[in-house]
Amino acid sequence: MEPYKSQIGQPVSRLEGHLKVTGTARYAGDYSVPGLLYGYVINSTITKGKIISFDTSRAKALPGVLEVFTHENRPSLAWFDLQYADMDAPPGSPFRPLQDADILYNGQPIGLVVAETFELARYAATLMDIEYEEEAFDTDLRSQQHLARSPKIGMATMLKPLPPKPKGNFEKAFNASPNQVSAEFFHGTEHHNPLELFATTTVYEGKGKLTIYDKTQGTINSQMYVANIFGLKFKNVRVISPYVGGAFGSALRPQYQLFLSVMAALKLERSVLVTLDRHQMFTFGHRPPTVQRTRFSADNNGIITALNHLAIGETSRFEDYTEVVVNWSHMLYPAANTLMQYKLVELDVYSPLDMRAPGGVTGMHAIESTIDELAHKSKIDPLQLRLTNYTEIDVSLNRPYSSKELRECYLQGAEKFGWDKRNPEPRSMRRGNKLVGYGMATGIWEANQLPAKAEAILTGDGKLKINSAVTDIGTGTLTVMTQIAADELGLPVEDVEFAYGDSKKPFAPIQGGSFTVSTVGSAVKAVGAAMRKKLFSIAKKMKGGVFDGTDLRDVSFEGGRIFITNNRSRSVSFQEIIVANDNKPVKLSKFSVPSILKLKKYSRAAHSAVFVEVEVDEELGVINVTRAVTAVAAGKIINPKTARSQILGGMIWGISKALREETIQDDGLGKYMNQNLSEYHIPVHADIHELDVIFVDEKDTVVNELGTKGVGEIGIVGMPPAITNAIFNATGKRINQLPIHFDMLL
Amino acid sequence: MNNFTYKRAESIEDALAQNSSGGNSSYLAGGTNLVDLMKYDLTRPDTLVDLNRVDGHHEIYETPEGGLLLGAFVTNADTAWHPSVEERYPLLSKAILAGASAQIRNMATNGGNLLQRTRCYYFYDANVPCNKREPGSGCSAIPGYNRIMAILGTSESCIAVFPSDMCVGLAALDATVHVEGPTGSRSIPFADFHRLPGDTPEIDNTLLPGEIITGIELPANGFSKNYSYLKLRDRNSYAFALVSVATGLELDGNVIREARIALGGVAHKPWRVREAEEFLAGKTADSVHFGQAAEIILRGAVGFPHNAFKIELAKRAIVRNCMMALNPESQLPGAQPSV
Ligand SMILES: Cc1cc2nc3c(=O)[nH]c(=O)nc-3n(C[C@H](O)[C@H](O)[C@H](O)COP(=O)(O)OP(=O)(O)OC[C@H]3O[C@@H](n4cnc5c(N)ncnc54)[C@H](O)[C@@H]3O)c2cc1C
Ligand code: SF4
C-alpha cells in the first residue's frame, strides 16, 4: 500500500465545483416547495421623513395578491433592541423593517407584497399610493466632516479595536523631521454586489416551525435573529445555506428579506420566498465612504520618526459601524511618535457593513501611498524604506508577532517582479507611446480565531462524516475542511464527508474576517484527533490484541486502517473497529476554543508584498494594470489552489477598488444612482492582465493548531496603493481619491 | 412591470396593422433595451408586437448602387461579423464590436440599436425628475452627477447622451435609414434620424409613431483602407463611451481627399461637423491638421461640473483616432487606444 499522502497542502479542486458549473447547486432562492408564495419588497422613494398614508387597495384588489404588509398591519414583534441584534451588529439600535412610519434612508423597505407569482407581486408593488412628508437630509460625508465624533463602544469593538493611545510627541517629532509628507484621501461608497441576489425561502412547517433557506454567512446568526424577533423556539427554526453565490461581508448580518419572508410565512401560514432584485442590493450595507489624513515623517537615514493617521468614516443615524482603518501603520513601522484618530459622521444612510478587508484596504491605501511619497521625498527606494523600518515586534501593542515572514514576501516578490529594473524617477520609463510605472505596497490583515464546535461520525463503511453549521461562501470551506479531517484520520478525501450550512449542526460563528479556516478548521482538527484516540482505544480492546503494548504514538492511520508504525503487518481496519463497537457508528464532538492567554502575548497577522506595473496612455489618461505579483505570508496554506483563487480574487478586487468600482451617490437627492451591474463597474476580463501569486513559507505555532492565518482578505489589501504608487511612478501624479478615473490623469 | 399582450407579426403589413389596433403598443426586436425599461417600470406597453419573425429584412445584401443593405432584424453580432461588412465597412464592424457585450450583441438588432434610449442614470430612476421620461418634471442631471452627460447640443431641459456605438459608425459612413409606416415608406438620411433635445427631450429621433425601421443602407464608399474607431470608457469592455470617435479617411499618398469624423458619448446624437471634414480635405494627414479639425468639431462645447474634461478628451481622442486610422493594423480589440 502507498503510504498516506497528506491532504493538507494539496491543490484539491473544489469538491462542489461541478455542481455549481452545471447549475445543479441550489441556492437560497432555488427551492420550490408546494404552495410557495412570492414576496416583492416595496422600498421608500424618499430619503428622510414619514409615511403619511399608505394605500395598498389597488394592489390588494388584484386576484392572486394575498397580502400587502406595511408598518400599519404588520404583526406585533419583539420590543428590545437586543432582540434585533445579530452577531455582527454594531453598537446602536438595529434597523427594524416595517417598524413605524419613519423613513431613515432612501430605499428603506417599507412594505412587502405577497402573491401567487413573483411577476404578480412585482407588478402589484407598482400600484401603491404612498404619501410622504419629506424632511431635510444629509448624505454627504465630506460636507459634514465637522460633525465627526468618537464612535460608541460595544461588543463589535472586541474584534475591531479602537485606535491605540498616542505615543511620544507626534507634533514635535514631525516638525523636527527633515522629510515630511501630508496627504488627504477620499474613498467613496461601494456595494458588495455578489452575483447571487439576496433571497430567503421560508418553508412553513406548521406549529411555529420553520425551515429557512437563507443567503447568509452564518446559519446560526440567522436562526438566532429569527427566533429572537418572532419569539420562536430555537429548535423550531432551522436555517440552511448550502451554497452561497458570493457575499464578501454582505451576508454577515441577516438582511431584510429574511425578516420579511419569515414575517409573511408566519402570518399567512404559508411558505414564502422573498428575492431582492439587483436594484434592491443597494438598499442595505455597503463599504462606508471615508476621509483620511496622514502625516508621516522620516529622518535622513529613512527611519520613520512620526506617524499621524486620521480617518473619518460614515455611519447611519441608528448604529455606529466601525472598522479598523488607522491601527495598521504602527503595526508595520515602529515610529516613536504616533497619533491615531478614528471618527464617525452620522448620515441619513443605512448602516455600513463589513466588506472584504473592511478598514484594512481603506487604511492601507492611505498608509502605503504616504510611505511611497516619503520614500520619494527622502530619495530612498520604497522597498528599501520598508526594509529599513522592518520590525519583528508590533510596536503599537508592544508584543512580538506570532510569525512574520514579510521580509521574505518583499524579497521573493521583488525578485519575481523584477523590481531592480525600476527607475525611481517618475515619467522615466516608456513603452511605445505609453508611460510605464512600477509601484509596490505592503498588505496586512489580522489572523483571528473564534470558538467553534464540530461533530465527527465514523460509520460501518469506514467513512467519516463531519458536521458543522458553518457556511461555504464560495471560498472553498467544504474542500478545505474535508482535507483537514482526512489528514487527521489518514483517509482519502473521497471517504470524508463534510456536512455544513445548517443551523442544526454544531456551532460555528459567522464566516468572515478570514477566520473560518482557523476557527472551524481547528474544531475539525480537534474532533478528528479525538476520533483517532477513540478508534484506537476501541481497537486496543479488540480480540487478538493487535495493539497490545502500544499506545497512540506508536500507530499511524492510513487508508482506513490503523497500523503499528514499525510493524505494518499488524493493523486493524476502521470497519473492524465499528464491528467491535457493536456495529454502532462512533460519534463524538469537540469544542475548540482559542487559547486566549497564549494568544494575548502575540500580535497575529497575515502579510503581503505587492508589486504592480501600470501602463498609462499619457494623452488620453487610459490606465492598464499590466502585471502584478503578490507574495503572501499567511501561515500554513491548506489548499494552494483555493488559496490562490482567494488571492487572485482579492487582487482583481484591488484593481477594481483602485480603478473601477464606485457607488455613485447624488447628495442632492440623497440616493445612489448606479444601482445595476451595467453602471456599477467591476472589472471585465479585458481589464485583467498578468497576475502572479507566491505563497511564502511561514511556520506559526501560536495562532492555532493548524498554523493557519486565513487568506480571504489579505489579497486585496495591498493592491490599491501598489497601483496608485505605480501610477505616480509612471506619471508623477498622485491621485488620492479612489477609484481613479482615467480623465483625472489628463 | 405590468401585464401585456404578446403578438407575433408575420410581415411588416401585419405588424403595422397589429400595432395600430389601439392602446399603447410597442414593437419588440431583441428586447435588450425595451425589456429592461419594462422591468424598471419605466414604460408600460399593453401590447408587444414581436418583429423577429417578420418575413424579410433578416439579410445583408449588396445594393444595385454598389452599397450594402443591412436588414433591420439582423443582429448586431451577425452584422459585425458579416464578410461584406468586415471587408468593406470595417469601421462599422469595429464600432459595433466596441458596444455592449457578446451576449447582448447576439440579441440586439440593427433597428433596435438606432432606437435605444439614453443611459442617463436619472432617466432610469422613476422616482426622480427627468424631462425625457416625464416631460415638464425637470432635469436631475443638470444639478446632479453629470459625468456621463453631453457637452454639445445640450438644452436647458436635457443634457443626455445617445449611447450607441454602432450609430457613430453609421453617421460617419453617411448611412440611410429605410422605414415603413402607416402612410407608406420613406428614407431618412442618418444625420436627420436622431435629433437634439431642445425643449422636447422626450423625442429621441424623427421616426413617426408606428413606423418600422426595415433596413439601413450603406453607400458604396466604406473607407475600408483608412479607418478607426476609438472608445474611451471606464473599463475596457462592457461600458458605454464617455467619448468615442469614428474616423474614415480617403488618402492620396499623404494628402487627405475626404475625411469623416463622428463623435459618440458627447451629444444627444452622433456628432458630425461637415466644416471640419471640409477643412481637412486637401490637407496633409498629420496631427496638426487633425488637431485643428478637432477644434472646429468641439466649437461651442459646454461642460458641466463633472464632465468638463470631455471637451479636452474629445479633442485628443479625435487626433489619436485619426492617427490610428492612418495605421489600421495597429488597432487593438475593444476599440482601445493604440499607436
Ligand atoms: C448592459 C447593456 C450594455 C450596453 N452597452 C452598449 C454599448 O456599449 N454600446 C452600444 O451601442 N449599445 C449598448 N447597449 C445597447 C444595445 O446595443 C441595445 O440595447 C440594442 O442595440 C437594442 O436593440 P434591440 O433589438 O434589443 O432593441 P429592443 O430593446 O427590442 O428595442 C428598442 C426600441 O426600439 C424599438 N424597435 C426595435 N426594432 C424596431 C424596428 N425595426 N422598427 C421600429 N422600432 C423598433 C422597440 O420598440 C424599442 O422601443 C447595451 C445594452 C445593455 C443592456
Ligand atoms: S439629462 Fe435628459 S434624460 Fe437625463 S435627467 Fe435630464 S432630462 Fe432626463
Side-chain angles (χ1 to χ4, degrees), chain A residues 387-406:
Chain A
L387 290 171
T388 303
N389 290 281
Y390 196 84
T391 175
E392 302 289 349
I393 60 166
D394 172 1
V395 183
S396 72
L397 296 171
N398 220 345
R399 56 192 193 190
Y401 280 101
S402 60
S403 62
K404 183 180 172 188
E405 294 295 345
L406 176 58

Side-chain angles (χ1 to χ4, degrees), chain A residues 617 619-620 746, chain B residues 151-152 168 227-232 242-249 256 259-266 270-273 276-277 279-280 285-299 301 309-326 331 335 337-339:
Chain A
D617 187 308
E619 271 169 14
L620 303 174
L746 288 183
Chain B
I151 50 169
L152 285 160
V168 183
Y227 66 90
S228 180
Y229 189 71
L230 172 63
K231 183 172 178 182
L232 299 171
L242 284 158
V243 168
S244 71
V245 192
T247 300
L249 298 173
I256 301 167
R260 298 280 177 82
I261 300 174
L263 294 189
V266 295
W271 198 257
R272 244 184 97 180
V273 178
E277 296 173 5
F279 163 84
L280 283 174
D286 59 37
S287 54
V288 175
H289 289 128
F290 294 140
Q292 289 165 341
E295 293 295 334
I296 299 173
I297 295 172
L298 272 295
R299 220 179 259 161
F309 70 89
K310 281 191 179 186
I311 300 174
E312 179 60 25
L313 183 67
K315 289 179 189 170
R316 295 185 188 187
I318 291 168
V319 176
R320 175 67 66 84
N321 195 50
C322 290
M323 297 307 286
M324 284 162 63
L326 299 178
Q331 292 169 25
S338 63
V339 185

Side-chain angles (χ1 to χ4, degrees), chain A residues 681 741-743, chain B residues 121 146-149 151 161 231-235 239-244 264-267 306-307 309-310 313-314:
Chain A
H681 293 141
H741 292 146
F742 68 94
D743 50 85
Chain B
Y121 310 131
N146 37 47
R147 171 171 160 80
I148 64 171
M149 303 299 162
I151 50 169
V161 157
K231 183 172 178 182
L232 299 171
R233 44 176 155 178
D234 278 332
R235 59 182 167 191
F240 290 93
L242 284 158
V243 168
S244 71
V266 295
H306 307 105
N307 77 351
F309 70 89
K310 281 191 179 186
L313 183 67

Side-chain angles (χ1 to χ4, degrees), chain A residues 677-678, chain B residues 26-37 51-52 72-73 76 95-96 98-101 104-105 107-117 119 163-167 207 210-214 231 233 238-241:
Chain A
L677 288 183
S678 168
Chain B
S26 273
Y27 295 124
L28 173 73
T32 58
N33 191 207
L34 180 62
V35 176
D36 270 357
L37 293 166
L51 301 176
N52 288 295
F73 310 126
N76 286 178
I96 294 173
S101 65
I104 292 171
R105 296 193 298 265
M107 286 301 291
T109 64
N110 291 337
N113 195 304
L114 270 58
L115 300 175
Q116 60 177 295
R117 307 298 312 265
R119 289 285 157 176
S164 167
D165 290 295
M166 178 182 186
C167 291
L207 198 70
E211 278 184 330
I212 298 175
I213 299 177
T214 55
K231 183 172 178 182
R233 44 176 155 178
Y238 197 44
F240 290 93

Side-chain angles (χ1 to χ4, degrees), chain A residues 335-414:
Chain A
N337 306 281
T338 62
L339 179 59
M340 305 300 170
Q341 300 150 293
Y342 179 66
K343 298 200 157 130
L344 295 179
V345 174
E346 281 174 30
L347 294 169
D348 297 298
V349 296
Y350 189 73
S351 301
L353 177 55
D354 295 325
M355 178 161 156
R356 206 167 194 176
V361 67
T362 312
M364 285 301 283
H365 171 237
I367 294 164
E368 290 296 285
S369 301
T370 312
I371 291 284
D372 196 68
E373 181 63 21
L374 195 58
H376 180 69
K377 273 213 168 147
S378 316
K379 299 199 167 38
I380 297 176
D381 176 87
L383 175 56
Q384 186 52 53
L385 185 82
R386 288 170 174 93
L387 290 171
T388 303
N389 290 281
Y390 196 84
T391 175
E392 302 289 349
I393 60 166
D394 172 1
V395 183
S396 72
L397 296 171
N398 220 345
R399 56 192 193 190
Y401 280 101
S402 60
S403 62
K404 183 180 172 188
E405 294 295 345
L406 176 58
R407 190 191 305 275
E408 265 311 297
C409 294
Y410 286 139
L411 300 179
Q412 292 185 26

Side-chain angles (χ1 to χ4, degrees), chain A residues 45 119 122-123 126-127 279 433-434 617-620 622 624 659-660 662 664-666 669 671-674 676-684 686-687 689 741-743 746, chain B residues 1-3 39-41 44 119 121-122 125 127-129 140 143-145 147-148 230 232-240 242 309 312-313 316-317 320 332 336-339:
Chain A
T45 58
E119 288 73 16
R122 181 173 60 179
Y123 171 55
T126 66
L127 303 180
H279 195 271
N433 69 339
K434 303 215 173 67
D617 187 308
E618 196 179 3
E619 271 169 14
L620 303 174
V622 175
N624 273 295
L659 302 174
R660 297 284 179 264
E662 62 179 329
I664 293 165
Q665 191 169 323
D666 185 315
L669 298 167
K671 70 192 303 191
Y672 306 126
M673 293 315 304
N674 58 336
N676 57 67
L677 288 183
S678 168
E679 301 298 338
Y680 186 91
H681 293 141
I682 57 170
V684 291
D687 292 327
H689 305 281
H741 292 146
F742 68 94
D743 50 85
L746 288 183
Chain B
M1 184 165 165
N2 57 313
N3 279 332
K39 286 204 280 194
Y40 294 145
D41 206 38
R44 297 180 174 188
R119 289 285 157 176
Y121 310 131
Y122 302 93
D125 183 338
N127 301 308
V128 304
S140 297
Y145 186 69
R147 171 171 160 80
I148 64 171
L230 172 63
L232 299 171
R233 44 176 155 178
D234 278 332
R235 59 182 167 191
N236 288 340
S237 167
Y238 197 44
F240 290 93
L242 284 158
F309 70 89
E312 179 60 25
L313 183 67
R316 295 185 188 187
R320 175 67 66 84
L332 300 169
Q336 293 182 54
S338 63
V339 185

Side-chain angles (χ1 to χ4, degrees), chain B:
Chain B
M1 184 165 165
N2 57 313
N3 279 332
F4 56 87
T5 307
Y6 170 84
K7 294 180 182 171
R8 188 178 283 162
E10 307 289 331
S11 63
I12 296 291
E13 297 70 43
D14 185 24
L16 290 170
Q18 299 218 42
N19 184 60
S20 64
S21 56
N24 169 18
S25 152
S26 273
Y27 295 124
L28 173 73
T32 58
N33 191 207
L34 180 62
V35 176
D36 270 357
L37 293 166
M38 291 170 70
K39 286 204 280 194
Y40 294 145
D41 206 38
L42 301 173
T43 176
R44 297 180 174 188
D46 49 36
T47 306
L48 287 190
V49 179
D50 185 352
L51 301 176
N52 288 295
R53 310 279 178 96
V54 162
D55 59 350
H57 316 291
H58 289 278
E59 294 84 38
I60 291 177
Y61 56 87
E62 316 249 335
T63 62
E65 293 75 32
L68 200 67
L69 202 121
L70 313 173
F73 310 126
V74 181
T75 67
N76 286 178
D78 286 344
T79 305
W81 299 116
H82 191 277
S84 304
V85 177
E86 281 197 285
E87 195 189 314
R88 296 183 52 202
Y89 306 92
L91 173 57
L92 179 62
S93 183
K94 287 247 169 194
I96 294 173
L97 294 177
S101 65
Q103 294 88 335
I104 292 171
R105 296 193 298 265
N106 284 340
M107 286 301 291
T109 64
N110 291 337
N113 195 304
L114 270 58
L115 300 175
Q116 60 177 295
R117 307 298 312 265
T118 182
R119 289 285 157 176
C120 171
Y121 310 131
Y122 302 93
F123 175 77
Y124 280 86
D125 183 338
N127 301 308
V128 304
C130 166
N131 287 324
K132 188 183 271 300
R133 184 168 26 77
E134 221 180 299
S137 62
C139 170
S140 297
I142 295 175
Y145 186 69
N146 37 47
R147 171 171 160 80
I148 64 171
M149 303 299 162
I151 50 169
L152 285 160
T154 55
S155 74
E156 278 174 17
S157 55
C158 180
I159 60 170
V161 157
F162 175 60
S164 167
D165 290 295
M166 178 182 186
C167 291
V168 183
L170 292 173
L173 291 169
D174 258 345
T176 304
V177 185
H178 296 302
V179 309
E180 283 191 40
T183 57
S185 54
R186 60 189 186 112
S187 298
I188 310 167
F190 208 81
D192 299 334
F193 188 82
H194 296 100
R195 60 185 293 282
L196 293 179
D199 51 15
T200 52
E202 68 277 16
I203 307 171
D204 290 350
N205 51 58
T206 54
L207 198 70
L208 297 172
E211 278 184 330
I212 298 175
I213 299 177
T214 55
I216 301 157
E217 188 173 342
L218 301 172
N221 187 358
F223 295 85
S224 61
K225 262 178 82 183
N226 290 102
Y227 66 90
S228 180
Y229 189 71
L230 172 63
K231 183 172 178 182
L232 299 171
R233 44 176 155 178
D234 278 332
R235 59 182 167 191
N236 288 340
S237 167
Y238 197 44
F240 290 93
L242 284 158
V243 168
S244 71
V245 192
T247 300
L249 298 173
E250 283 286 314
L251 299 174
D252 269 335
N254 198 24
V255 177
I256 301 167
R257 197 177 334 124
E258 191 181 353
R260 298 280 177 82
I261 300 174
L263 294 189
V266 295
H268 202 257
K269 60 186 289 186
W271 198 257
R272 244 184 97 180
V273 178
R274 311 273 157 169
E275 191 192 334
E277 296 173 5
E278 281 155 19
F279 163 84
L280 283 174
K283 304 268 183 344
T284 49
D286 59 37
S287 54
V288 175
H289 289 128
F290 294 140
Q292 289 165 341
E295 293 295 334
I296 299 173
I297 295 172
L298 272 295
R299 220 179 259 161
V302 181
F304 293 86
H306 307 105
N307 77 351
F309 70 89
K310 281 191 179 186
I311 300 174
E312 179 60 25
L313 183 67
K315 289 179 189 170
R316 295 185 188 187
I318 291 168
V319 176
R320 175 67 66 84
N321 195 50
C322 290
M323 297 307 286
M324 284 162 63
L326 299 178
N327 188 5
E329 297 75 47
S330 74
Q331 292 169 25
L332 300 169
Q336 293 182 54
S338 63
V339 185

